[in-house]
Amino acid sequence: MLRETVVASAAIAASAILGSLLLGQQAVGVGLAAGLIIGSLNGHALAALMVRGTPLVASTVVRLAAFSAAAIGIAFLLRSEAWAVLLGVGAAQAVMVVASIRQGLRA
């Protein structure tokens, strides 16, 4: 599921960049793509924290803060729209939900 999330998010990120180039909105496309890549790493971060025995509530708060800060920092560095990066992070979470559902239906 984690690999599927990263692969699908990367494909959507590439599509976002290409689409934004066609529409003349490069900053938005780059922001969405960056957010998708950042957000796709959330599952890996959760798995690593669970292996360490970190309580779910604590890990959720830490991950939410860390990914939000990373998204805003990346938006600043890329001179992109912050909302687009955060939207990309949210879209990656939706991709992870879809991948989880697909995996559950296969089981």
Side-chain angles (χ1 to χ4, degrees):
M1 173 199 62
L2 296 178
R3 186 176 69 134
E4 209 175 299
T5 300
V6 172
V7 170
S9 292
I12 296 168
S15 298
I17 289 175
L18 291 175
S20 71
L21 289 173
L22 293 173
L23 296 172
Q25 298 291 326
Q26 293 85 354
V28 173
V30 168
L32 281 170
L36 279 156
I37 299 303
I38 292 167
S40 71
L41 301 175
N42 186 30
H44 292 285
L46 174 61
L49 289 169
M50 291 293 105
V51 167
R52 292 188 178 128
T54 307
L56 183 61
V57 173
S59 71
T60 300
V61 170
V62 169
R63 284 182 301 112
L64 180 61
F67 281 95
S68 297
I72 293 169
I74 292 295
F76 179 74
L77 290 174
L78 294 177
R79 299 190 193 289
S80 180
E81 303 288 343
W83 64 266
V85 180
L86 292 170
L87 184 64
V89 171
Q93 300 316 297
V95 169
M96 188 165 49
V97 167
V98 170
S100 299
I101 292 170
R102 285 188 63 215
Q103 183 178 359
L105 290 175
R106 283 189 234 147

